[in-house]
Amino acid sequence: MKIARSYIFLAATVLLGSCSDEFLDLRPISTPTSDNFYRTADDFKNAVNGGYAALQAGGLAGNSYVFGEITSDNTVAVASGSVTDQDEFDRFYIRTTNPFISNRWNEGYNAIARYNTILERIGGVTMDETLKNRYMAETKFLRAVVYFTLVQTFGDVPLVLKPVANPDEGYTFGRAPKADVYAQIEKDLTEAEAVLPVSYPAADNGRATKGAARAYLGKVYLTQKKYAPAAAKLKEVIDQGTYALLPSYADVFRVSNKNNKESVFDVQYKSGGAGEGNSWPNSFAPQNSGNAVIAFGGDGNNQPTLDIVNAYETGDLRKDVSVATSYVNAAGQTIPDRFIKKYHDVPVAKNDNGNNIPLIRYADVLLMYAEAVNETAYQASGEAFTYLNLVRTRAGLPNKTAANTATQQAFRLAIEQERRVELAFEGHRWFDLVRTGRAIPVLNSKKDQIRLVNELTENNLVFPIPQSQIDINRDKITQNPGY
């Protein structure tokens, strides 16, 4: 029996939108249907704002650390509570029924359904054409971000580019080759880049910009090993002059300094009891720490490994900003416990913090550009060194030079190391290792340290398709090898 409500391609009819002029005011509006909602400019303002809010979902940004960090040598799963679901990622025995897998698929396609409906309906609405074109560009950008998340996670995925009128139609979609998915991502980002503004007024900070589209396009090219196009596009981000490294690494992550010059694209959060708060600061603070680390206590998720603690070079200013190895409890005792410091706020309630989640920031752009330039051709003390060293200088570290990084492979390893510590706990490590072909050798070399059940193989480089999707559409949806 077909269960309509379970299928991924049902059009979303509940929109999280804005009832005011504040972009970050994402309180739910009523639950209009598609037929009576998409009629006015304000309807589309609410719909597009809801499209940004969709990125907060646990399957997308909210639990991104499960896919990007716990799978790597950076962090391990919490030692109690929902340990099994996260431990499967830590040790790579992932069930096809794992809820993190299901949530990523379902919430990804729920978001895509929103975006497809906006793009389908907006053309027929009378409104300012410049604003209409911008809303379309923002929506294409968001759709590209979500499809990039899905294709990195699952490989081949259904490519749905229009609203699905009924559940039966949804059953016609099988898994499209990832090359086709990447081609659509590139198309969406290219079209978005052509229209999006360089910046917005303060009330609209956080929306997709021309620089964000360029940066994502550069990352998509880099992921596909299209090094020359990646370098060209990332250089456009650098040359547009919109972004800069902040002098202090700590300032990048201060809640009071959100959407700063280093922010290229963040998922926006807002504390205050409206359901728009970020849970990470409470989630990552140590278990049983009371209010010693953060008000309302911590859950101990995403605990840093000893390996990442030891990965920082002596004198690296990023270490104390990013990770701690102990805290002082209410009794004045020093408790040894590794935890992430990078995200901190004073929450209004548990899990109601104001931190944004960065998806791409300028340091990432600089390091991606250096990587792409090196892949096109190694040049001793050339341009790639210049951009790598901008990041190292901010961290208080000496420059890399041809004297200590004498080959293309040595530079690759230098970039790998720099990305690991610069972007620690931001969800990049696993996908970096997969992109560069280093996941299997790096993690297998640390098998005992990171508690792998078995050595990784090529099958582990993508995650399983949710079993529920196979069960309801066996003719079209097949499982990834090894699961």
Side-chain angles (χ1 to χ4, degrees):
M1 176 179 176
K2 295 178 180 178
I3 304 173
R5 65 183 176 84
S6 297
Y7 201 65
I8 58 172
F9 301 131
L10 285 176
T13 59
V14 179
L15 298 171
L16 292 177
S18 172
C19 298
S20 75
D21 291 333
E22 284 286 333
F23 171 52
L24 283 178
D25 182 5
L26 299 172
R27 292 170 292 177
I29 60 174
S30 58
T31 57
T33 66
S34 296
D35 290 338
N36 63 22
F37 178 67
Y38 295 98
R39 294 182 175 182
T40 69
D42 280 346
D43 288 344
F44 282 96
K45 173 186 174 182
N46 288 333
V48 174
N49 285 358
Y52 285 96
L55 298 181
Q56 297 175 348
L60 297 174
N63 290 321
S64 57
Y65 63 89
V66 175
F67 293 86
E69 297 291 335
I70 288 178
T71 48
S72 77
D73 47 357
N74 278 2
T75 66
V76 297
V78 63
S80 63
S82 60
V83 59
T84 301
D85 296 335
Q86 294 188 27
D87 188 65
E88 292 175 18
F89 287 83
D90 191 21
R91 302 173 67 192
F92 280 89
Y93 60 100
I94 305 170
R95 295 169 297 149
T96 62
T97 56
N98 185 289
F100 289 101
I101 292 292
S102 298
N103 287 344
R104 172 146 291 192
W105 182 284
N106 293 337
E107 289 168 357
Y109 279 106
N110 282 339
I112 288 166
R114 292 171 181 260
Y115 307 144
N116 289 343
T117 301
I118 292 168
L119 293 170
E120 177 83 5
R121 298 296 185 90
I122 197 169
V125 174
T126 301
M127 60 184 291
D128 178 83
E129 285 297 314
T130 299
L131 184 60
K132 177 187 288 189
N133 289 335
R134 197 196 86 194
Y135 283 164
M136 292 173 65
E138 289 180 77
T139 303
K140 288 177 182 179
F141 172 87
L142 293 170
R143 184 169 67 179
V145 168
V146 174
Y147 264 124
F148 186 45
T149 301
L150 291 173
V151 75
Q152 284 187 295
T153 303
F154 299 110
D156 299 347
V157 292
L159 185 59
V160 187
L161 302 174
K162 65 182 183 66
V164 176
N166 60 71
D168 286 339
E169 185 181 355
Y171 288 90
T172 65
F173 291 93
R175 297 176 65 189
K178 64 181 182 181
D180 293 350
V181 181
Y182 275 116
Q184 183 61 44
I185 293 169
E186 292 175 16
K187 182 174 185 293
D188 275 350
L189 290 172
T190 300
E191 292 176 0
E193 178 198 344
V195 175
L196 289 171
V198 171
S199 62
Y200 293 89
D204 281 326
N205 277 345
R207 291 186 179 277
T209 61
K210 191 177 295 292
R214 287 172 171 166
Y216 255 100
L217 192 50
K219 187 161 197 169
V220 167
Y221 287 145
L222 189 65
T223 300
Q224 299 173 85
K225 299 183 175 10
K226 297 179 179 180
Y227 298 119
K233 189 56 62 177
L234 293 164
K235 191 61 160 57
E236 288 179 24
V237 181
I238 295 168
D239 289 346
Q240 74 181 54
T242 308
Y243 308 103
L245 293 179
L246 300 190
S248 167
Y249 186 74
D251 286 346
V252 176
F253 305 98
R254 294 192 196 283
V255 176
S256 60
N257 197 35
K258 294 194 301 184
N259 299 313
N260 54 62
K261 289 281 287 184
E262 194 161 333
S263 170
V264 178
F265 187 69
D266 291 0
V267 179
Q268 304 290 310
Y269 289 84
K270 185 177 181 180
S271 63
E276 296 297 327
N278 183 347
S279 67
W280 281 14
N282 287 106
S283 293
F284 298 166
Q287 288 182 308
N288 306 313
S289 58
N291 293 329
V293 173
I294 189 171
F296 307 103
D299 298 325
N301 280 284
N302 208 24
Q303 185 182 55
T305 60
L306 184 59
D307 192 68
I308 182 64
V309 171
N310 293 334
Y312 291 90
E313 297 171 57
T314 301
D316 193 328
L317 300 176
R318 297 169 293 198
K319 184 175 184 178
D320 287 343
V321 174
S322 302
V323 63
T325 57
S326 66
Y327 65 92
V328 178
N329 68 11
Q333 301 168 308
T334 298
I335 307 299
D337 200 347
R338 295 188 298 273
F339 64 95
I340 295 167
K341 290 175 60 180
K342 181 175 279 189
Y343 308 100
H344 184 74
D345 192 17
V346 180
V348 175
K350 180 131 185 220
N351 299 327
D352 190 6
N353 295 274
N355 313 69
N356 288 347
I357 293 178
L359 297 188
I360 292 191
R361 54 187 179 86
Y362 191 53
D364 187 6
V365 170
L366 296 177
L367 293 174
M368 287 193 293
Y369 179 63
E371 179 179 336
V373 169
N374 182 62
E375 291 300 331
T376 58
Y378 173 81
Q379 182 179 355
S381 300
E383 190 179 29
F385 282 88
T386 299
Y387 288 96
L388 167 61
N389 287 330
L390 286 175
V391 177
R392 289 181 61 80
T393 297
R394 200 256 303 266
L397 298 176
N399 285 347
K400 292 288 186 180
T401 68
N404 54 37
T405 313
T407 65
Q408 185 181 51
Q409 179 60 18
F411 194 91
R412 287 173 180 146
L413 296 178
I415 285 287
E416 179 180 299
Q417 158 67 14
E418 207 63 39
R419 288 185 63 82
R420 186 183 188 190
V421 291
E422 172 68 28
L423 304 172
F425 320 125
E426 296 178 41
H428 296 278
R429 176 63 171 171
W430 166 255
F431 296 106
D432 280 353
L433 290 174
V434 171
R435 183 186 75 247
T436 59
R438 293 271 295 158
I440 292 172
V442 168
L443 298 184
N444 283 349
S445 72
K446 304 174 183 179
K447 178 184 174 184
D448 293 336
Q449 293 174 251
I450 60 177
R451 306 181 309 134
L452 288 179
V453 173
N454 298 296
E455 289 194 348
L456 297 189
T457 70
E458 291 290 328
N459 291 341
N460 299 115
L461 300 183
V462 291
F463 299 97
I465 303 299
Q467 188 62 41
S468 60
Q469 298 306 314
I470 295 172
D471 290 344
I472 62 177
N473 197 15
R474 290 184 179 277
D475 291 340
K476 294 286 186 178
I477 305 296
T478 57
Q479 187 55 271
N480 281 327
Y483 296 101

